[in-house]
Amino acid sequence: MAPSFDQLDPETGDYDAEDDIDFSDLKEQYEVRMEEGLDTFVVIDGLPKVPEDSKPKLVKFLLRKLTTAGKTKEDDVYMPLDELTGQTGGYAFVEYETSAQAAAAVKLLHGTPLDKKHTIAVNKLTDIERYGREGKIDETYHEPEIASFEEKEHLRWWLGDPEGRDQFIMFKADDVGVYWNERDDVPDQIVNRTGWTETFVQWSPKGTYLISMHAQGVQLWGGPNWSRQKRFMHPGANLVDVSPDERYITTWSHKAMEVQEGNPVLSLEEDGKNYIIWDVATAKPIRSFVTLDLAGPTNDAEGNPIKQKIQWPAFKWSSDAKYVARMTQGQSISVYELPKMNLMDRQSIKIEGVMDFEWAPASPQRDNVKTYEQLFCYWTPELGSNPAKVGLMSIPSKDIVRTRNLFNVSDAKLHWQSEASFVCVKVDRHSKSGKSKATNLEIFRVREKGVPVEVVDSIKDTVINFAWEPKGDRFVLITAGEVPDGAPVPPKTSVSFFCPEKSKGNTIGNFKLIRTIDKKNNNAIHWSPNGRFVVVATVMNQQYFDLDFWDLDFEGEKDEKDKDLTANLQLMTTADHYGVTDIEWDPSGRYVATTASFWKHRMENGYHLYTFSGTTLREEPTEQFKQFSWRPRPERLLSKDEMKNVRKNLREYSKTFDELDVAKKSSANKAVVEARRRLLQEWLAYRSRVQEDLEEEREALGLAAVSEERAALEVEDDGETRVVEEVYEEILAEEEEIVD
């Protein structure tokens, strides 16, 4: 049995208290740091200094802010007093129920202003302990070095092009290039880089940045030198979405992130998440989320997993990017306020059965509504005895602006007009027997008093495509009949054009059918960004690939039956592009590009360029041609009156551009002539040099400067010597053949 300390006698020398063993190195190595209990604490700095009597009032005021991030109470707020002044020290320690709530408080409350003079700083107590350990904070004050001013690149430099040209990007094989568009010449290349992206490229909504995708994350490029502007470290990011004002960016990866401690950008809060919403200015994450499981079965009848397609973008931005929202299908819509990304009113909006929603693409201007608001439209299916429903909700008030009940609904799609004047709900209905289907259009007139709803129910077949005219009030739709069982080819489609009737005052008349074109194969509608012109096409089809160019404001004679309509429809031309997969208008509405992408098929890849009226300008077949995308432009700075003045004096402005075009062609012709003259001069100089070398060589050999044969050809003419050359033709063989 081992002796106890009580049995040891100091006098015997068995134990000497002054000869203790030094365990300091082992204690330092194996000491248990009690930080696990401190990760629920945060430190609040920047508080006002108040006397002890005012301290409870300050704590209650502070709690209003603190409880927006998690649960805490007055007893959990420790605000020390200064013994000398008898006032609070301007800081406080706060304990939350969980460490997640403490982390959320740091995210949401750091930098929040309390009043005009005080802005609080919020940090985790464990972070302060970690950063202050092991001499990480120098006790000696060093004055910070202020970096010298460096002028940054002008990110919208391309808008100053004197010729008003647009840019586009082409991705072919492994090369990504940016080009100036030329009407009558080959594109003018600005930059070309191999391996600029690993999957695809994408422009930001206003064209400021070019986005490239990499295994390590997402990068933003811009400026005249195409330098890297921002970098977002999201490993394995598959998709990216940018807010309308380009201040925020969403990245998504199908694989959940694995974040290790010490990551310079991502925190442990991002571990296991799929989505990250970033602040573009700071390139730092604001908040992260996991991918929600979609409603419906996950396995088929045989037990195999069903590959579900995610909705993209999952986070949808309001028109001014003050809100971003995500839907939990069948349950709710969560609206987050930017830039803090805090859940509005700390709870999601419960909408039972919600299937889809869309924000208004512009700030709404409803009748007699002067306060700020954003709108989104949503729809719910039939649940039990309750009908399907379409609703308009105002944010941030959460007021229901308008609802409409629908019956026998199979599906619905939401289509906003670009200026938020209308929202069309395309409702696919089925008969009571479920055998036949038809489509109704429920058009909400958002700007009119009471938001009236106009129903277009004259459509017999199912609508497979619908598109509003940008900045206008006309629309085009494509319908298709039911597919018979065992049919080898899909049924023919019909293209219908609608516009409002003429009306008095500022009101917009009822929507009427202009014309329906039957027996077509079209499935795609692409409006010019400025309206009026539209391309109705057949894409992703190996049998049909026609392109129809339509004008809805044709300046020719108008049919008598259309005199009360606000459109004059005319087919300008028809073209075709074999294997066309994508169609895109340039921002000015002057040109249309059609592409056959290598990503979708391997036959005759490349692009075609057309004018707005369908005239072919260029056909460029290119192997492994993957992507073509016009560079977007920001909103115009001209007022409506200034734009009206430009349209009124368009002929005067066009003369200036015509002169520039002529001068450009003349300069091009002049360049060709000068190039030919330069080549001729080089040839004459070469011939003269060779002739001098020949004469020197003959002189060295003791021969005459000119041979006898050449001398015989020389003729004196007015004191000048000219060489006369004779050409002889000799027939080597001749054959005759009689043709019946």
Side-chain angles (χ1 to χ4, degrees):
M1 180 176 178
S4 66
F5 278 98
D6 296 333
Q7 295 172 327
L8 294 177
D9 186 356
E11 296 181 358
T12 63
D14 294 336
Y15 173 73
D16 189 354
E18 297 180 357
D19 194 22
D20 287 341
I21 300 174
D22 186 8
F23 293 100
S24 59
D25 57 337
L26 296 177
K27 287 183 178 180
E28 178 67 20
Q29 183 177 358
Y30 295 104
E31 180 183 11
V32 178
R33 303 191 184 277
M34 301 302 293
E35 292 185 356
E36 289 76 4
L38 301 179
D39 56 3
T40 59
F41 285 86
V42 297
V43 182
I44 313 292
D45 200 4
L47 296 172
K49 297 180 180 180
V50 298
E52 186 175 3
D53 296 342
S54 302
K55 176 182 171 182
K57 186 177 179 181
L58 177 59
V59 171
K60 289 182 179 179
F61 177 76
L62 183 61
L63 278 172
R64 297 177 188 174
K65 300 284 186 181
L66 299 175
T67 52
T68 60
K71 293 184 178 181
T72 185
K73 54 184 181 297
E74 189 173 345
D75 294 339
D76 294 331
V77 179
Y78 176 62
M79 195 176 295
L81 291 171
D82 191 325
E83 295 180 358
L84 296 178
T85 62
Q87 293 183 329
T88 59
Y91 59 90
F93 300 91
V94 181
E95 183 180 8
Y96 282 94
E97 286 189 352
T98 64
S99 59
Q101 294 177 7
V106 175
K107 285 252 183 186
L108 297 176
L109 302 178
H110 183 70
T112 300
L114 287 182
D115 52 34
K116 293 182 179 179
K117 295 183 179 180
H118 299 89
T119 299
I120 60 174
V122 185
N123 293 281
K124 294 174 67 175
L125 184 61
T126 53
D127 287 345
I128 296 174
E129 179 70 17
R130 183 169 71 250
Y131 296 145
R133 187 184 298 146
E134 299 175 0
K136 292 185 178 180
I137 298 178
D138 194 348
E139 296 294 336
T140 305
Y141 172 75
H142 299 282
E143 187 174 348
E145 296 182 4
I146 301 176
S148 58
F149 172 75
E150 294 183 4
E151 186 175 356
K152 295 184 178 180
E153 292 183 294
H154 186 16
L155 296 180
R156 294 188 175 177
W157 60 277
W158 88 97
L159 298 176
D161 180 54
E163 299 178 34
R165 296 174 297 177
D166 281 302
Q167 291 182 0
F168 61 83
I169 193 165
M170 283 198 293
F171 183 13
K172 45 191 176 182
D174 295 327
D175 295 336
V176 177
V178 183
Y179 301 80
W180 287 111
N181 180 44
E182 300 284 355
R183 175 187 170 89
D184 300 319
D185 203 353
V186 296
D188 182 11
Q189 187 177 87
I190 305 170
V191 63
N192 187 81
R193 295 177 184 174
T194 302
W196 202 345
T197 184
E198 296 179 16
T199 52
F200 64 90
V201 287
Q202 178 179 323
W203 294 106
S204 60
K206 295 183 178 181
T208 306
Y209 304 107
L210 176 65
I211 305 170
S212 61
M213 310 295 294
H214 307 272
Q216 296 83 8
V218 177
Q219 299 189 90
L220 269 56
W221 308 81
N225 297 319
W226 296 98
S227 58
R228 185 172 61 200
Q229 303 296 322
K230 300 292 178 182
R231 178 168 49 184
F232 305 95
M233 187 184 294
H234 186 165
N238 303 108
L239 296 172
V240 62
D241 182 52
V242 185
S243 65
D245 61 358
E246 299 182 339
R247 293 177 57 196
Y248 310 102
I249 185 171
T250 304
T251 56
W252 173 80
S253 172
H254 73 281
K255 184 179 179 181
M257 287 177 288
E258 297 179 0
V259 182
Q260 302 296 329
E261 188 171 358
N263 189 296
V265 178
L266 303 177
S267 66
L268 295 178
E269 298 171 23
E270 276 72 54
D271 187 60
K273 306 294 181 62
N274 303 89
Y275 294 92
I276 301 181
I277 296 182
W278 307 78
D279 186 328
V280 172
T282 62
K284 293 182 178 180
I286 305 175
R287 192 163 178 176
S288 56
F289 300 85
V290 298
T291 300
L292 297 177
D293 294 330
L294 298 178
T298 57
N299 297 314
D300 58 18
E302 299 178 357
N304 299 319
I306 300 175
K307 188 176 182 181
Q308 295 178 316
K309 186 177 181 181
I310 70 162
Q311 185 185 44
W312 185 259
F315 289 86
K316 300 180 180 180
W317 309 94
S318 63
S319 64
D320 58 0
K322 288 186 177 180
Y323 303 98
V324 65
R326 178 168 73 159
M327 177 186 67
T328 302
Q329 194 175 66
Q331 300 178 24
S332 62
I333 296 175
S334 302
V335 180
Y336 298 89
E337 298 175 293
L338 291 157
K340 294 293 185 180
M341 274 302 293
N342 55 295
L343 185 62
M344 189 175 68
D345 296 336
R346 298 181 60 189
Q347 60 182 355
S348 300
I349 303 171
K350 302 295 182 182
I351 304 176
E352 186 180 3
V354 62
M355 295 298 293
D356 195 11
F357 80 103
E358 292 290 343
W359 286 100
S363 295
Q365 300 176 7
R366 292 196 294 131
D367 184 64
N368 292 328
V369 177
K370 305 299 182 182
T371 57
Y372 168 82
E373 71 169 354
Q374 294 292 317
L375 289 179
F376 68 74
C377 182
Y378 65 91
W379 80 277
T380 61
E382 297 175 80
L383 299 172
S385 59
N386 296 325
K389 182 181 294 185
V390 176
L392 283 176
M393 180 175 289
S394 176
I395 298 296
S397 66
K398 298 184 182 178
D399 294 335
I400 302 295
V401 173
R402 185 72 158 86
T403 60
R404 184 167 177 83
N405 294 333
L406 306 170
F407 298 91
N408 300 328
V409 176
S410 301
D411 192 15
K413 292 291 185 293
L414 311 174
H415 301 274
W416 278 96
Q417 187 258 0
S418 63
E419 296 177 325
S421 299
F422 309 95
V423 58
C424 175
V425 183
K426 181 181 74 69
V427 183
D428 294 332
R429 299 178 183 272
H430 55 264
S431 62
K432 292 183 179 180
S433 62
K435 295 182 178 179
S436 60
K437 293 183 179 181
T439 300
N440 284 2
L441 303 181
E442 309 277 340
I443 301 176
F444 292 71
R445 295 172 171 264
V446 178
R447 295 188 177 181
E448 297 181 19
K449 185 176 181 180
V451 190
V453 179
E454 180 179 348
V455 181
V456 179
D457 56 3
S458 58
I459 306 169
K460 298 180 181 179
D461 297 323
T462 302
V463 175
I464 62 172
N465 205 337
F466 176 98
W468 282 105
E469 176 187 21
K471 304 175 184 177
D473 47 23
R474 299 172 290 199
F475 59 85
V476 181
L477 54 86
I478 300 175
T479 60
E482 297 183 18
V483 182
D485 295 335
V489 294
K492 293 290 184 178
T493 61
S494 299
V495 182
S496 300
F497 300 83
F498 286 80
C499 74
E501 292 181 306
K502 292 180 180 178
S503 61
K504 296 180 181 180
N506 296 325
T507 60
I508 297 174
N510 294 329
F511 291 97
K512 296 294 181 182
L513 175 66
I514 307 172
R515 192 188 310 170
T516 296
I517 314 299
D518 295 319
K519 297 182 180 179
K520 301 291 291 183
N521 299 291
N522 303 134
N523 56 14
I525 306 167
H526 294 272
W527 280 96
S528 165
N530 296 316
R532 178 175 175 175
F533 305 105
V534 62
V535 176
V536 182
T538 307
V539 300
M540 297 296 294
N541 192 315
Q542 296 300 319
Q543 295 178 333
Y544 307 102
F545 30 82
D546 49 313
L547 310 168
D548 296 337
F549 292 78
W550 293 89
D551 181 3
L552 273 77
D553 287 325
F554 181 61
E555 297 178 356
E557 186 177 354
K558 197 172 186 179
D559 290 343
E560 183 66 22
K561 63 182 179 62
D562 297 335
K563 65 179 181 178
D564 294 329
L565 301 179
T566 58
N568 188 16
L569 185 66
Q570 177 68 32
L571 177 64
M572 295 182 289
T573 188
T574 298
D576 60 72
H577 180 180
Y578 176 77
V580 60
T581 58
D582 302 281
I583 300 173
E584 188 174 352
W585 285 82
D586 82 316
S588 69
R590 292 177 292 177
Y591 306 103
V592 185
T594 62
T595 58
S597 175
F598 178 79
W599 285 332
K600 298 176 181 177
H601 64 74
R602 308 296 172 90
M603 296 178 291
E604 298 188 23
N605 303 123
Y607 79 97
H608 292 185
L609 189 67
Y610 303 90
T611 64
F612 67 92
S613 59
T615 302
T616 304
L617 297 176
R618 192 158 52 248
E619 296 183 2
E620 294 289 342
T622 307
E623 291 186 2
Q624 297 188 42
F625 187 93
K626 299 176 180 177
Q627 190 177 1
F628 182 106
S629 182
W630 293 101
R631 186 172 195 173
R633 286 176 173 262
E635 298 85 356
R636 293 188 181 97
L637 299 178
L638 297 176
S639 64
K640 290 185 177 181
D641 293 336
E642 288 173 326
M643 286 190 284
K644 287 181 180 179
N645 185 51
V646 170
R647 294 190 188 98
K648 183 178 180 180
N649 302 298
L650 190 58
R651 292 187 178 182
E652 296 298 325
Y653 289 104
S654 63
K655 289 180 181 179
T656 304
F657 288 103
D658 290 340
E659 292 174 359
L660 291 174
D661 291 340
V662 171
K664 189 174 182 179
K665 290 181 180 179
S666 300
S667 62
N669 295 336
K670 184 178 179 180
V672 172
V673 172
E674 289 179 351
R676 291 176 179 174
R677 184 181 291 114
R678 184 175 63 255
L679 292 174
L680 178 60
Q681 291 174 351
E682 291 176 357
W683 161 249
L684 293 176
Y686 167 76
R687 183 173 180 178
S688 176
R689 186 171 63 254
V690 171
Q691 188 171 351
E692 291 176 0
D693 294 342
L694 180 61
E695 290 176 356
E696 292 177 359
E697 186 177 349
R698 291 180 64 84
E699 184 179 356
L701 295 174
L703 301 175
V706 181
S707 65
E708 296 180 358
E709 292 82 359
R710 184 177 179 82
L713 298 175
E714 291 182 351
V715 176
E716 294 290 337
D717 186 7
D718 296 334
E720 295 183 0
T721 301
R722 294 188 302 168
V723 177
V724 179
E725 297 182 357
E726 296 182 1
V727 180
Y728 296 92
E729 294 184 359
E730 183 178 356
I731 300 175
L732 301 179
E734 186 175 353
E735 295 181 1
E736 292 185 1
E737 182 178 356
I738 300 175
V739 180
D740 293 336

